[in-house]
Amino acid sequence: MNRTKGFIFLTSAAFFFAFSGILPRVLNNYLPPFLSNTIRTFMVCLIILPIVFKRWKSITKQDLPWIVAYTIASSMSFLFFYLSMTQIVVTTGLFIFYSISTIAGYILAKLFLNEKLTMPKIVSLLLSFVGILIIYQNSLVFSGSLFPVYFMVASGFLYGVTNLCIRKIGSNYPVSQLNILYFATGSLISLVLSQIVFREAISGFTPISILFLIIFAIVNLLATISLINGFKNIDAQSGSIILLSEIPFGSIMAFLFFSQIPTIPVLIGGAVILVSQLIPVLVKSR
């Protein structure tokens, strides 16, 4: 393992995921959400399919449960995330997602990978939660049905499962193979939701919307490539903290694209999170 390489890849993944959070707001002005996701994930499949055929590696019986868990968890995490975010206050939903995914990352890595919970990791975990609380403390709202909360908890937990599976079997298979499993399943689920469950209209295709779909597909592909390569080179617990850099990256994106000026709590909380993600990497490298 190369921890520095893992840190760079996961930080890059957080950046691309933050960028991915901006693009749906633009696409929603043109295309229904699940139709947009169906096309985007299908585009990614077309891009990587030739590579998959060349590099496909037979799945062993030992790895099969992990492959199935990865495929289901990665796809369902997105589904629960979307279902929750359509009914819950955005800041509350993000607070739940980041908190649960980080906790799940630590616990699952301890249970299934026997990763040690060292003092630097504990300090890093506590600091990351301090940063999250500073950012979201004044915008948490819990009202109405609790189902959106349950959906977001499930999404965060399944995201932790996804990262665990990548750490467990990611080095055994090509990145393209893991990607095709995720994007193909996601495309199928989105298609069912779009045309059978929600009956979205097939409309809104313009040169601009197609351009943004292509950009979104490429950014998503870069995010998952970085994510998989990152967890190949760093432990799951440290990786869970590093991915929290998506929060300050998201604030920067919101400022650049929507002129949303970051508040003082966002700046302070973001700085605390960035410090927390550096601790296990720097201490381990000594």
Side-chain angles (χ1 to χ4, degrees):
M1 284 197 308
N2 185 327
R3 293 181 65 84
T4 301
K5 186 177 180 180
F7 174 82
I8 294 173
F9 269 120
L10 289 182
T11 303
S12 300
F15 172 81
F16 289 127
F17 280 130
F19 194 16
S20 297
I22 298 296
L23 293 172
R25 294 193 178 191
V26 178
L27 277 172
N28 284 346
N29 295 324
Y30 300 94
L31 297 168
F34 285 115
L35 177 62
S36 170
N37 192 65
T38 302
I39 299 171
R40 172 179 58 83
T41 50
F42 183 70
M43 282 181 173
V44 175
C45 291
L46 291 179
I47 293 172
I48 64 176
L49 198 57
I51 303 175
V52 173
F53 280 131
K54 290 182 180 180
R55 300 184 180 179
W56 183 270
K57 183 178 179 180
S58 298
I59 299 172
T60 65
K61 291 183 179 180
Q62 182 180 1
D63 289 342
L64 184 58
W66 289 99
I67 289 289
V68 172
Y70 164 77
T71 304
I72 295 175
S74 58
S75 302
M76 295 304 293
S77 177
F78 161 77
L79 173 60
F80 284 127
F81 184 87
Y82 178 80
L83 290 175
S84 175
M85 290 299 272
T86 58
Q87 305 176 58
I88 198 173
V89 176
V90 172
T91 50
T92 302
L94 292 176
F95 171 79
I96 296 172
F97 177 81
Y98 290 125
S99 300
I100 296 299
S101 63
T102 305
I103 293 173
Y106 265 68
I107 295 176
L108 292 172
K110 176 63 178 177
L111 293 176
F112 293 97
L113 303 178
N114 199 31
E115 291 186 1
K116 295 181 179 179
L117 192 59
T118 61
M119 184 55 66
K121 288 182 179 180
I122 294 174
V123 173
S124 179
L125 178 63
L126 293 176
L127 268 181
S128 68
F129 276 111
V130 169
I132 292 173
L133 283 172
I134 291 174
I135 292 173
Y136 294 116
Q137 63 175 330
N138 294 324
S139 54
L140 296 179
V141 178
F142 294 93
S143 60
S145 173
L146 289 177
F147 281 107
V149 175
Y150 298 150
F151 287 151
M152 191 57 76
V153 170
S155 177
F157 176 78
L158 290 172
Y159 186 66
V161 173
T162 300
N163 296 335
L164 170 74
C165 294
I166 293 174
R167 178 68 192 134
K168 180 68 178 179
I169 49 92
S171 298
N172 299 341
Y173 301 94
V175 173
S176 58
Q177 184 170 341
L178 296 177
N179 270 329
I180 198 73
L181 292 171
Y182 163 61
F183 284 108
T185 306
S187 183
L188 180 60
I189 292 175
S190 295
L191 178 62
V192 171
L193 290 172
S194 173
Q195 299 304 307
I196 297 178
V197 178
F198 295 104
R199 298 184 181 278
E200 294 175 337
I202 303 178
S203 60
F205 292 98
T206 66
I208 295 178
S209 65
I210 294 174
L211 174 62
F212 275 110
L213 275 172
I214 295 172
I215 294 174
F216 199 177
I218 294 172
V219 170
N220 249 192
L221 179 58
L222 292 173
T224 55
I225 289 174
S226 300
L227 183 72
I228 294 170
N229 281 310
F231 276 110
K232 285 184 177 183
N233 289 282
I234 203 167
D235 60 277
Q237 293 174 339
S238 298
S240 299
I241 298 296
I242 294 171
L243 287 173
L244 289 176
S245 57
E246 181 182 346
I247 300 175
F249 280 140
S251 299
I252 294 172
M253 295 292 179
F255 171 71
L256 293 176
F257 289 92
F258 302 112
S259 300
Q260 297 179 4
I261 300 175
T263 62
I264 296 299
V266 169
L267 293 175
I268 296 175
V272 173
I273 289 173
L274 291 177
V275 171
S276 73
Q277 73 174 29
L278 288 173
I279 291 175
V281 177
L282 294 179
V283 172
K284 190 75 174 181
S285 63
R286 290 182 179 178

